[in-house]
Amino acid sequence: MLDLLSFGPNGWGAQLLSGTLMTLLVAVSAFGFGVLIGSFAAAAKLGDRLLLRGLAETYTTVVRGIPELLVIYLLFFGGSGMVMALARVFGYDGYLELNAFTIGVVAVGLISGAYSTEVIRAAVRAVPKGQLEAARACGMPKLLILRRILVPLTLRHALPGLGNVWQLTLKDTALISVTALAEIMRIAHLAAGASRQPFVFYTTAALLYLLLTSASTILFEQAERYANRGTGRR
């Protein structure tokens, strides 16, 4: 068994390591993309514009209401067509095709963004209105209020929820193995088929995911302690 997991010519250690790094790259990219989308969608939901609020509500309802694998399939089989249709609007008639990495990041990012939206929206609502009113009374401009009060306090309230969204995002990367991207599950599947030792490689994949999620939990706990410094919360 150790020979199969080694970094030698007959082992899959190098491929598993490469797959782990690809999983991390997709997860970080998708999570960042999701937080960006979630921030805009949360702002739309909290705003007064009915159209934007309706679009944000539709986005979160649809993405959270259908299976995550279906979102990936829809983008995998229809993403290039949508990009080409959009390109034709701007006068480009050439052929465009999204690669597996782009599809994975966008698909998982859209899923992550739907959950991040609700986390960020709840965090903004948890910010005491008195602090914002006091800042306005002191004559602070909107951008300064945003930078010094709203964003730090929102981040403090949002971190626990965003930590959960990150864990979901990390595990959702396993679904993009259907696009043939060489992440952990794809490598484990190929290795299991080639060696006829599925238990060994799927158990290894489980341990790798457990290692990543455990390390992520520690990092987010440290981030929460830093964000809550001076507040008496631990």
Side-chain angles (χ1 to χ4, degrees), residues 123-161:
V124 171
R125 285 186 168 179
V127 174
K129 293 183 179 180
Q131 296 198 24
L132 300 177
E133 292 172 355
R136 295 189 192 100
C138 291
M140 292 178 66
K142 290 183 178 180
L143 288 178
L144 191 59
I145 294 174
L146 181 70
R147 180 168 62 88
R148 288 191 176 179
I149 298 177
L150 187 59
V151 171
L153 291 179
T154 298
L155 183 61
R156 179 183 296 169
H157 292 296
L159 267 176

PDB file of all heavy atoms in Angstrom, residues 123-161:
ATOM      1  N   ALA A 123     -24.759  39.726   8.698  1.00  0.00           N
ATOM      2  CA  ALA A 123     -23.695  40.406   9.430  1.00  0.00           C
ATOM      3  C   ALA A 123     -23.867  41.926   9.376  1.00  0.00           C
ATOM      4  O   ALA A 123     -23.638  42.624  10.372  1.00  0.00           O
ATOM      5  CB  ALA A 123     -22.339  40.013   8.852  1.00  0.00           C
ATOM      6  N   VAL A 124     -24.271  42.449   8.229  1.00  0.00           N
ATOM      7  CA  VAL A 124     -24.506  43.890   8.111  1.00  0.00           C
ATOM      8  C   VAL A 124     -25.641  44.317   9.030  1.00  0.00           C
ATOM      9  O   VAL A 124     -25.568  45.346   9.710  1.00  0.00           O
ATOM     10  CB  VAL A 124     -24.810  44.270   6.653  1.00  0.00           C
ATOM     11  CG1 VAL A 124     -25.269  45.728   6.557  1.00  0.00           C
ATOM     12  CG2 VAL A 124     -23.589  44.055   5.775  1.00  0.00           C
ATOM     13  N   ARG A 125     -26.679  43.516   9.086  1.00  0.00           N
ATOM     14  CA  ARG A 125     -27.823  43.840   9.953  1.00  0.00           C
ATOM     15  C   ARG A 125     -27.458  43.763  11.428  1.00  0.00           C
ATOM     16  O   ARG A 125     -28.118  44.391  12.265  1.00  0.00           O
ATOM     17  CB  ARG A 125     -28.984  42.898   9.643  1.00  0.00           C
ATOM     18  CG  ARG A 125     -29.697  43.217   8.337  1.00  0.00           C
ATOM     19  CD  ARG A 125     -30.917  42.353   8.155  1.00  0.00           C
ATOM     20  NE  ARG A 125     -31.757  42.824   7.057  1.00  0.00           N
ATOM     21  CZ  ARG A 125     -32.886  42.230   6.675  1.00  0.00           C
ATOM     22  NH1 ARG A 125     -33.295  41.125   7.310  1.00  0.00           N
ATOM     23  NH2 ARG A 125     -33.593  42.729   5.682  1.00  0.00           N
ATOM     24  N   ALA A 126     -26.427  42.984  11.746  1.00  0.00           N
ATOM     25  CA  ALA A 126     -26.021  42.849  13.146  1.00  0.00           C
ATOM     26  C   ALA A 126     -25.182  44.023  13.632  1.00  0.00           C
ATOM     27  O   ALA A 126     -24.953  44.155  14.834  1.00  0.00           O
ATOM     28  CB  ALA A 126     -25.238  41.540  13.333  1.00  0.00           C
ATOM     29  N   VAL A 127     -24.718  44.861  12.714  1.00  0.00           N
ATOM     30  CA  VAL A 127     -23.927  46.036  13.112  1.00  0.00           C
ATOM     31  C   VAL A 127     -24.845  47.014  13.837  1.00  0.00           C
ATOM     32  O   VAL A 127     -25.899  47.390  13.314  1.00  0.00           O
ATOM     33  CB  VAL A 127     -23.302  46.716  11.881  1.00  0.00           C
ATOM     34  CG1 VAL A 127     -22.601  48.017  12.282  1.00  0.00           C
ATOM     35  CG2 VAL A 127     -22.316  45.774  11.194  1.00  0.00           C
ATOM     36  N   PRO A 128     -24.491  47.442  15.047  1.00  0.00           N
ATOM     37  CA  PRO A 128     -25.343  48.375  15.797  1.00  0.00           C
ATOM     38  C   PRO A 128     -25.569  49.684  15.029  1.00  0.00           C
ATOM     39  O   PRO A 128     -24.604  50.325  14.591  1.00  0.00           O
ATOM     40  CB  PRO A 128     -24.550  48.626  17.089  1.00  0.00           C
ATOM     41  CG  PRO A 128     -23.646  47.442  17.216  1.00  0.00           C
ATOM     42  CD  PRO A 128     -23.304  47.035  15.820  1.00  0.00           C
ATOM     43  N   LYS A 129     -26.821  50.046  14.860  1.00  0.00           N
ATOM     44  CA  LYS A 129     -27.128  51.270  14.119  1.00  0.00           C
ATOM     45  C   LYS A 129     -26.612  52.503  14.834  1.00  0.00           C
ATOM     46  O   LYS A 129     -26.313  53.521  14.201  1.00  0.00           O
ATOM     47  CB  LYS A 129     -28.637  51.378  13.913  1.00  0.00           C
ATOM     48  CG  LYS A 129     -29.208  50.314  12.985  1.00  0.00           C
ATOM     49  CD  LYS A 129     -30.700  50.524  12.766  1.00  0.00           C
ATOM     50  CE  LYS A 129     -31.264  49.467  11.819  1.00  0.00           C
ATOM     51  NZ  LYS A 129     -32.732  49.667  11.611  1.00  0.00           N
ATOM     52  N   GLY A 130     -26.518  52.412  16.170  1.00  0.00           N
ATOM     53  CA  GLY A 130     -26.034  53.554  16.930  1.00  0.00           C
ATOM     54  C   GLY A 130     -24.630  53.972  16.534  1.00  0.00           C
ATOM     55  O   GLY A 130     -24.312  55.172  16.530  1.00  0.00           O
ATOM     56  N   GLN A 131     -23.776  52.992  16.202  1.00  0.00           N
ATOM     57  CA  GLN A 131     -22.404  53.327  15.816  1.00  0.00           C
ATOM     58  C   GLN A 131     -22.378  54.055  14.481  1.00  0.00           C
ATOM     59  O   GLN A 131     -21.586  54.986  14.284  1.00  0.00           O
ATOM     60  CB  GLN A 131     -21.551  52.058  15.755  1.00  0.00           C
ATOM     61  CG  GLN A 131     -21.409  51.375  17.102  1.00  0.00           C
ATOM     62  CD  GLN A 131     -20.250  50.402  17.137  1.00  0.00           C
ATOM     63  OE1 GLN A 131     -19.300  50.531  16.372  1.00  0.00           O
ATOM     64  NE2 GLN A 131     -20.303  49.451  18.042  1.00  0.00           N
ATOM     65  N   LEU A 132     -23.236  53.646  13.564  1.00  0.00           N
ATOM     66  CA  LEU A 132     -23.310  54.328  12.272  1.00  0.00           C
ATOM     67  C   LEU A 132     -23.879  55.734  12.428  1.00  0.00           C
ATOM     68  O   LEU A 132     -23.400  56.685  11.802  1.00  0.00           O
ATOM     69  CB  LEU A 132     -24.165  53.511  11.299  1.00  0.00           C
ATOM     70  CG  LEU A 132     -23.667  52.086  10.993  1.00  0.00           C
ATOM     71  CD1 LEU A 132     -24.648  51.363  10.084  1.00  0.00           C
ATOM     72  CD2 LEU A 132     -22.290  52.126  10.351  1.00  0.00           C
ATOM     73  N   GLU A 133     -24.894  55.852  13.272  1.00  0.00           N
ATOM     74  CA  GLU A 133     -25.491  57.173  13.501  1.00  0.00           C
ATOM     75  C   GLU A 133     -24.504  58.111  14.181  1.00  0.00           C
ATOM     76  O   GLU A 133     -24.438  59.308  13.868  1.00  0.00           O
ATOM     77  CB  GLU A 133     -26.755  57.025  14.334  1.00  0.00           C
ATOM     78  CG  GLU A 133     -27.885  56.311  13.603  1.00  0.00           C
ATOM     79  CD  GLU A 133     -29.055  55.998  14.523  1.00  0.00           C
ATOM     80  OE1 GLU A 133     -28.933  56.263  15.743  1.00  0.00           O
ATOM     81  OE2 GLU A 133     -30.070  55.481  14.021  1.00  0.00           O
ATOM     82  N   ALA A 134     -23.710  57.572  15.107  1.00  0.00           N
ATOM     83  CA  ALA A 134     -22.709  58.391  15.783  1.00  0.00           C
ATOM     84  C   ALA A 134     -21.649  58.870  14.795  1.00  0.00           C
ATOM     85  O   ALA A 134     -21.186  60.022  14.870  1.00  0.00           O
ATOM     86  CB  ALA A 134     -22.060  57.593  16.906  1.00  0.00           C
ATOM     87  N   ALA A 135     -21.265  57.991  13.854  1.00  0.00           N
ATOM     88  CA  ALA A 135     -20.270  58.377  12.854  1.00  0.00           C
ATOM     89  C   ALA A 135     -20.813  59.487  11.953  1.00  0.00           C
ATOM     90  O   ALA A 135     -20.094  60.440  11.624  1.00  0.00           O
ATOM     91  CB  ALA A 135     -19.884  57.160  12.016  1.00  0.00           C
ATOM     92  N   ARG A 136     -22.082  59.361  11.568  1.00  0.00           N
ATOM     93  CA  ARG A 136     -22.677  60.417  10.736  1.00  0.00           C
ATOM     94  C   ARG A 136     -22.766  61.722  11.509  1.00  0.00           C
ATOM     95  O   ARG A 136     -22.549  62.804  10.953  1.00  0.00           O
ATOM     96  CB  ARG A 136     -24.067  59.984  10.265  1.00  0.00           C
ATOM     97  CG  ARG A 136     -24.072  58.773   9.341  1.00  0.00           C
ATOM     98  CD  ARG A 136     -25.447  58.545   8.738  1.00  0.00           C
ATOM     99  NE  ARG A 136     -25.533  57.248   8.088  1.00  0.00           N
ATOM    100  CZ  ARG A 136     -26.089  56.175   8.646  1.00  0.00           C
ATOM    101  NH1 ARG A 136     -26.613  56.275   9.886  1.00  0.00           N
ATOM    102  NH2 ARG A 136     -26.132  55.030   8.017  1.00  0.00           N
ATOM    103  N   ALA A 137     -23.101  61.619  12.800  1.00  0.00           N
ATOM    104  CA  ALA A 137     -23.213  62.824  13.629  1.00  0.00           C
ATOM    105  C   ALA A 137     -21.858  63.527  13.770  1.00  0.00           C
ATOM    106  O   ALA A 137     -21.806  64.756  13.920  1.00  0.00           O
ATOM    107  CB  ALA A 137     -23.754  62.465  15.009  1.00  0.00           C
ATOM    108  N   CYS A 138     -20.776  62.749  13.696  1.00  0.00           N
ATOM    109  CA  CYS A 138     -19.434  63.341  13.785  1.00  0.00           C
ATOM    110  C   CYS A 138     -18.964  63.922  12.451  1.00  0.00           C
ATOM    111  O   CYS A 138     -17.864  64.480  12.366  1.00  0.00           O
ATOM    112  CB  CYS A 138     -18.426  62.289  14.245  1.00  0.00           C
ATOM    113  SG  CYS A 138     -18.647  61.760  15.964  1.00  0.00           S
ATOM    114  N   GLY A 139     -19.796  63.754  11.430  1.00  0.00           N
ATOM    115  CA  GLY A 139     -19.458  64.307  10.124  1.00  0.00           C
ATOM    116  C   GLY A 139     -18.577  63.428   9.268  1.00  0.00           C
ATOM    117  O   GLY A 139     -17.977  63.900   8.293  1.00  0.00           O
ATOM    118  N   MET A 140     -18.487  62.146   9.590  1.00  0.00           N
ATOM    119  CA  MET A 140     -17.656  61.241   8.794  1.00  0.00           C
ATOM    120  C   MET A 140     -18.304  61.003   7.438  1.00  0.00           C
ATOM    121  O   MET A 140     -19.505  60.733   7.352  1.00  0.00           O
ATOM    122  CB  MET A 140     -17.472  59.903   9.520  1.00  0.00           C
ATOM    123  CG  MET A 140     -16.639  60.007  10.788  1.00  0.00           C
ATOM    124  SD  MET A 140     -16.498  58.405  11.658  1.00  0.00           S
ATOM    125  CE  MET A 140     -15.549  57.465  10.467  1.00  0.00           C
ATOM    126  N   PRO A 141     -17.545  61.070   6.345  1.00  0.00           N
ATOM    127  CA  PRO A 141     -18.100  60.776   5.020  1.00  0.00           C
ATOM    128  C   PRO A 141     -18.434  59.296   4.883  1.00  0.00           C
ATOM    129  O   PRO A 141     -17.938  58.451   5.638  1.00  0.00           O
ATOM    130  CB  PRO A 141     -16.984  61.192   4.058  1.00  0.00           C
ATOM    131  CG  PRO A 141     -15.742  61.159   4.871  1.00  0.00           C
ATOM    132  CD  PRO A 141     -16.134  61.501   6.275  1.00  0.00           C
ATOM    133  N   LYS A 142     -19.244  58.966   3.869  1.00  0.00           N
ATOM    134  CA  LYS A 142     -19.731  57.591   3.711  1.00  0.00           C
ATOM    135  C   LYS A 142     -18.595  56.590   3.506  1.00  0.00           C
ATOM    136  O   LYS A 142     -18.625  55.487   4.061  1.00  0.00           O
ATOM    137  CB  LYS A 142     -20.710  57.527   2.542  1.00  0.00           C
ATOM    138  CG  LYS A 142     -22.040  58.217   2.811  1.00  0.00           C
ATOM    139  CD  LYS A 142     -22.992  58.040   1.639  1.00  0.00           C
ATOM    140  CE  LYS A 142     -24.337  58.693   1.926  1.00  0.00           C
ATOM    141  NZ  LYS A 142     -25.285  58.539   0.799  1.00  0.00           N
ATOM    142  N   LEU A 143     -17.614  56.950   2.701  1.00  0.00           N
ATOM    143  CA  LEU A 143     -16.514  56.018   2.441  1.00  0.00           C
ATOM    144  C   LEU A 143     -15.701  55.750   3.705  1.00  0.00           C
ATOM    145  O   LEU A 143     -15.244  54.623   3.930  1.00  0.00           O
ATOM    146  CB  LEU A 143     -15.607  56.563   1.338  1.00  0.00           C
ATOM    147  CG  LEU A 143     -16.175  56.528  -0.083  1.00  0.00           C
ATOM    148  CD1 LEU A 143     -15.188  57.135  -1.073  1.00  0.00           C
ATOM    149  CD2 LEU A 143     -16.520  55.096  -0.485  1.00  0.00           C
ATOM    150  N   LEU A 144     -15.534  56.758   4.524  1.00  0.00           N
ATOM    151  CA  LEU A 144     -14.798  56.577   5.770  1.00  0.00           C
ATOM    152  C   LEU A 144     -15.586  55.715   6.750  1.00  0.00           C
ATOM    153  O   LEU A 144     -15.022  54.863   7.448  1.00  0.00           O
ATOM    154  CB  LEU A 144     -14.491  57.935   6.398  1.00  0.00           C
ATOM    155  CG  LEU A 144     -13.501  57.929   7.572  1.00  0.00           C
ATOM    156  CD1 LEU A 144     -12.159  57.349   7.147  1.00  0.00           C
ATOM    157  CD2 LEU A 144     -13.334  59.328   8.140  1.00  0.00           C
ATOM    158  N   ILE A 145     -16.905  55.917   6.804  1.00  0.00           N
ATOM    159  CA  ILE A 145     -17.763  55.061   7.638  1.00  0.00           C
ATOM    160  C   ILE A 145     -17.680  53.615   7.173  1.00  0.00           C
ATOM    161  O   ILE A 145     -17.592  52.679   7.982  1.00  0.00           O
ATOM    162  CB  ILE A 145     -19.214  55.560   7.599  1.00  0.00           C
ATOM    163  CG1 ILE A 145     -19.330  56.941   8.259  1.00  0.00           C
ATOM    164  CG2 ILE A 145     -20.147  54.572   8.283  1.00  0.00           C
ATOM    165  CD1 ILE A 145     -20.709  57.563   8.141  1.00  0.00           C
ATOM    166  N   LEU A 146     -17.690  53.449   5.854  1.00  0.00           N
ATOM    167  CA  LEU A 146     -17.610  52.103   5.287  1.00  0.00           C
ATOM    168  C   LEU A 146     -16.292  51.432   5.671  1.00  0.00           C
ATOM    169  O   LEU A 146     -16.272  50.265   6.074  1.00  0.00           O
ATOM    170  CB  LEU A 146     -17.748  52.181   3.763  1.00  0.00           C
ATOM    171  CG  LEU A 146     -17.713  50.859   3.004  1.00  0.00           C
ATOM    172  CD1 LEU A 146     -18.988  50.060   3.275  1.00  0.00           C
ATOM    173  CD2 LEU A 146     -17.567  51.108   1.509  1.00  0.00           C
ATOM    174  N   ARG A 147     -15.195  52.175   5.566  1.00  0.00           N
ATOM    175  CA  ARG A 147     -13.864  51.597   5.785  1.00  0.00           C
ATOM    176  C   ARG A 147     -13.555  51.362   7.255  1.00  0.00           C
ATOM    177  O   ARG A 147     -12.975  50.347   7.614  1.00  0.00           O
ATOM    178  CB  ARG A 147     -12.802  52.500   5.153  1.00  0.00           C
ATOM    179  CG  ARG A 147     -11.378  52.000   5.307  1.00  0.00           C
ATOM    180  CD  ARG A 147     -10.424  52.794   4.411  1.00  0.00           C
ATOM    181  NE  ARG A 147     -10.403  54.204   4.764  1.00  0.00           N
ATOM    182  CZ  ARG A 147      -9.604  54.738   5.676  1.00  0.00           C
ATOM    183  NH1 ARG A 147      -8.758  53.955   6.364  1.00  0.00           N
ATOM    184  NH2 ARG A 147      -9.618  56.034   5.926  1.00  0.00           N
ATOM    185  N   ARG A 148     -13.962  52.291   8.104  1.00  0.00           N
ATOM    186  CA  ARG A 148     -13.554  52.211   9.507  1.00  0.00           C
ATOM    187  C   ARG A 148     -14.579  51.553  10.416  1.00  0.00           C
ATOM    188  O   ARG A 148     -14.227  51.071  11.494  1.00  0.00           O
ATOM    189  CB  ARG A 148     -13.250  53.625  10.022  1.00  0.00           C
ATOM    190  CG  ARG A 148     -11.974  54.220   9.477  1.00  0.00           C
ATOM    191  CD  ARG A 148     -11.599  55.479  10.222  1.00  0.00           C
ATOM    192  NE  ARG A 148     -10.318  56.017   9.776  1.00  0.00           N
ATOM    193  CZ  ARG A 148      -9.781  57.121  10.271  1.00  0.00           C
ATOM    194  NH1 ARG A 148     -10.414  57.806  11.227  1.00  0.00           N
ATOM    195  NH2 ARG A 148      -8.608  57.554   9.815  1.00  0.00           N
ATOM    196  N   ILE A 149     -15.837  51.536  10.008  1.00  0.00           N
ATOM    197  CA  ILE A 149     -16.880  51.020  10.908  1.00  0.00           C
ATOM    198  C   ILE A 149     -17.629  49.841  10.293  1.00  0.00           C
ATOM    199  O   ILE A 149     -17.634  48.741  10.847  1.00  0.00           O
ATOM    200  CB  ILE A 149     -17.873  52.140  11.293  1.00  0.00           C
ATOM    201  CG1 ILE A 149     -17.133  53.249  12.047  1.00  0.00           C
ATOM    202  CG2 ILE A 149     -19.014  51.584  12.144  1.00  0.00           C
ATOM    203  CD1 ILE A 149     -17.989  54.427  12.408  1.00  0.00           C
ATOM    204  N   LEU A 150     -18.260  50.063   9.146  1.00  0.00           N
ATOM    205  CA  LEU A 150     -19.149  49.036   8.604  1.00  0.00           C
ATOM    206  C   LEU A 150     -18.404  47.767   8.203  1.00  0.00           C
ATOM    207  O   LEU A 150     -18.806  46.664   8.590  1.00  0.00           O
ATOM    208  CB  LEU A 150     -19.924  49.601   7.408  1.00  0.00           C
ATOM    209  CG  LEU A 150     -21.025  48.687   6.854  1.00  0.00           C
ATOM    210  CD1 LEU A 150     -22.053  48.376   7.932  1.00  0.00           C
ATOM    211  CD2 LEU A 150     -21.694  49.334   5.644  1.00  0.00           C
ATOM    212  N   VAL A 151     -17.324  47.904   7.438  1.00  0.00           N
ATOM    213  CA  VAL A 151     -16.598  46.710   6.979  1.00  0.00           C
ATOM    214  C   VAL A 151     -15.961  45.941   8.137  1.00  0.00           C
ATOM    215  O   VAL A 151     -16.132  44.709   8.235  1.00  0.00           O
ATOM    216  CB  VAL A 151     -15.537  47.088   5.920  1.00  0.00           C
ATOM    217  CG1 VAL A 151     -14.636  45.895   5.612  1.00  0.00           C
ATOM    218  CG2 VAL A 151     -16.214  47.571   4.647  1.00  0.00           C
ATOM    219  N   PRO A 152     -15.226  46.594   9.064  1.00  0.00           N
ATOM    220  CA  PRO A 152     -14.644  45.821  10.180  1.00  0.00           C
ATOM    221  C   PRO A 152     -15.685  45.119  11.051  1.00  0.00           C
ATOM    222  O   PRO A 152     -15.495  43.958  11.436  1.00  0.00           O
ATOM    223  CB  PRO A 152     -13.882  46.887  10.983  1.00  0.00           C
ATOM    224  CG  PRO A 152     -13.597  47.972  10.014  1.00  0.00           C
ATOM    225  CD  PRO A 152     -14.778  48.005   9.107  1.00  0.00           C
ATOM    226  N   LEU A 153     -16.791  45.821  11.358  1.00  0.00           N
ATOM    227  CA  LEU A 153     -17.814  45.207  12.203  1.00  0.00           C
ATOM    228  C   LEU A 153     -18.559  44.102  11.460  1.00  0.00           C
ATOM    229  O   LEU A 153     -18.903  43.064  12.042  1.00  0.00           O
ATOM    230  CB  LEU A 153     -18.794  46.272  12.698  1.00  0.00           C
ATOM    231  CG  LEU A 153     -18.226  47.277  13.705  1.00  0.00           C
ATOM    232  CD1 LEU A 153     -19.297  48.295  14.112  1.00  0.00           C
ATOM    233  CD2 LEU A 153     -17.685  46.579  14.940  1.00  0.00           C
ATOM    234  N   THR A 154     -18.811  44.318  10.171  1.00  0.00           N
ATOM    235  CA  THR A 154     -19.459  43.272   9.376  1.00  0.00           C
ATOM    236  C   THR A 154     -18.584  42.034   9.299  1.00  0.00           C
ATOM    237  O   THR A 154     -19.065  40.905   9.436  1.00  0.00           O
ATOM    238  CB  THR A 154     -19.761  43.791   7.955  1.00  0.00           C
ATOM    239  OG1 THR A 154     -20.662  44.898   8.028  1.00  0.00           O
ATOM    240  CG2 THR A 154     -20.383  42.698   7.099  1.00  0.00           C
ATOM    241  N   LEU A 155     -17.293  42.238   9.095  1.00  0.00           N
ATOM    242  CA  LEU A 155     -16.366  41.102   9.016  1.00  0.00           C
ATOM    243  C   LEU A 155     -16.335  40.336  10.334  1.00  0.00           C
ATOM    244  O   LEU A 155     -16.298  39.099  10.344  1.00  0.00           O
ATOM    245  CB  LEU A 155     -14.965  41.602   8.665  1.00  0.00           C
ATOM    246  CG  LEU A 155     -13.888  40.526   8.480  1.00  0.00           C
ATOM    247  CD1 LEU A 155     -14.262  39.589   7.344  1.00  0.00           C
ATOM    248  CD2 LEU A 155     -12.535  41.174   8.214  1.00  0.00           C
ATOM    249  N   ARG A 156     -16.367  41.065  11.438  1.00  0.00           N
ATOM    250  CA  ARG A 156     -16.372  40.409  12.748  1.00  0.00           C
ATOM    251  C   ARG A 156     -17.576  39.501  12.906  1.00  0.00           C
ATOM    252  O   ARG A 156     -17.456  38.367  13.388  1.00  0.00           O
ATOM    253  CB  ARG A 156     -16.365  41.473  13.848  1.00  0.00           C
ATOM    254  CG  ARG A 156     -16.401  40.903  15.263  1.00  0.00           C
ATOM    255  CD  ARG A 156     -16.464  42.026  16.284  1.00  0.00           C
ATOM    256  NE  ARG A 156     -15.250  42.857  16.233  1.00  0.00           N
ATOM    257  CZ  ARG A 156     -15.146  44.020  16.863  1.00  0.00           C
ATOM    258  NH1 ARG A 156     -16.157  44.502  17.550  1.00  0.00           N
ATOM    259  NH2 ARG A 156     -14.014  44.695  16.783  1.00  0.00           N
ATOM    260  N   HIS A 157     -18.744  39.966  12.494  1.00  0.00           N
ATOM    261  CA  HIS A 157     -19.957  39.152  12.619  1.00  0.00           C
ATOM    262  C   HIS A 157     -20.024  38.046  11.558  1.00  0.00           C
ATOM    263  O   HIS A 157     -20.654  37.003  11.786  1.00  0.00           O
ATOM    264  CB  HIS A 157     -21.198  40.046  12.502  1.00  0.00           C
ATOM    265  CG  HIS A 157     -21.381  40.994  13.638  1.00  0.00           C
ATOM    266  ND1 HIS A 157     -21.619  40.572  14.931  1.00  0.00           N
ATOM    267  CD2 HIS A 157     -21.357  42.359  13.686  1.00  0.00           C
ATOM    268  CE1 HIS A 157     -21.738  41.622  15.731  1.00  0.00           C
ATOM    269  NE2 HIS A 157     -21.579  42.714  14.999  1.00  0.00           N
ATOM    270  N   ALA A 158     -19.396  38.297  10.400  1.00  0.00           N
ATOM    271  CA  ALA A 158     -19.535  37.360   9.285  1.00  0.00           C
ATOM    272  C   ALA A 158     -18.544  36.203   9.333  1.00  0.00           C
ATOM    273  O   ALA A 158     -18.788  35.162   8.716  1.00  0.00           O
ATOM    274  CB  ALA A 158     -19.372  38.105   7.961  1.00  0.00           C
ATOM    275  N   LEU A 159     -17.429  36.365  10.043  1.00  0.00           N
ATOM    276  CA  LEU A 159     -16.367  35.352   9.999  1.00  0.00           C
ATOM    277  C   LEU A 159     -16.824  33.933  10.349  1.00  0.00           C
ATOM    278  O   LEU A 159     -16.462  32.988   9.651  1.00  0.00           O
ATOM    279  CB  LEU A 159     -15.204  35.771  10.909  1.00  0.00           C
ATOM    280  CG  LEU A 159     -14.082  36.558  10.221  1.00  0.00           C
ATOM    281  CD1 LEU A 159     -13.046  37.010  11.238  1.00  0.00           C
ATOM    282  CD2 LEU A 159     -13.425  35.731   9.124  1.00  0.00           C
ATOM    283  N   PRO A 160     -17.610  33.741  11.418  1.00  0.00           N
ATOM    284  CA  PRO A 160     -18.044  32.358  11.700  1.00  0.00           C
ATOM    285  C   PRO A 160     -18.843  31.746  10.543  1.00  0.00           C
ATOM    286  O   PRO A 160     -18.617  30.593  10.175  1.00  0.00           O
ATOM    287  CB  PRO A 160     -18.907  32.521  12.958  1.00  0.00           C
ATOM    288  CG  PRO A 160     -18.408  33.766  13.605  1.00  0.00           C
ATOM    289  CD  PRO A 160     -18.035  34.672  12.483  1.00  0.00           C
ATOM    290  N   GLY A 161     -19.762  32.527   9.993  1.00  0.00           N
ATOM    291  CA  GLY A 161     -20.552  32.022   8.876  1.00  0.00           C
ATOM    292  C   GLY A 161     -19.723  31.808   7.626  1.00  0.00           C
ATOM    293  O   GLY A 161     -19.894  30.815   6.907  1.00  0.00           O
TER     294      GLY A 161
END
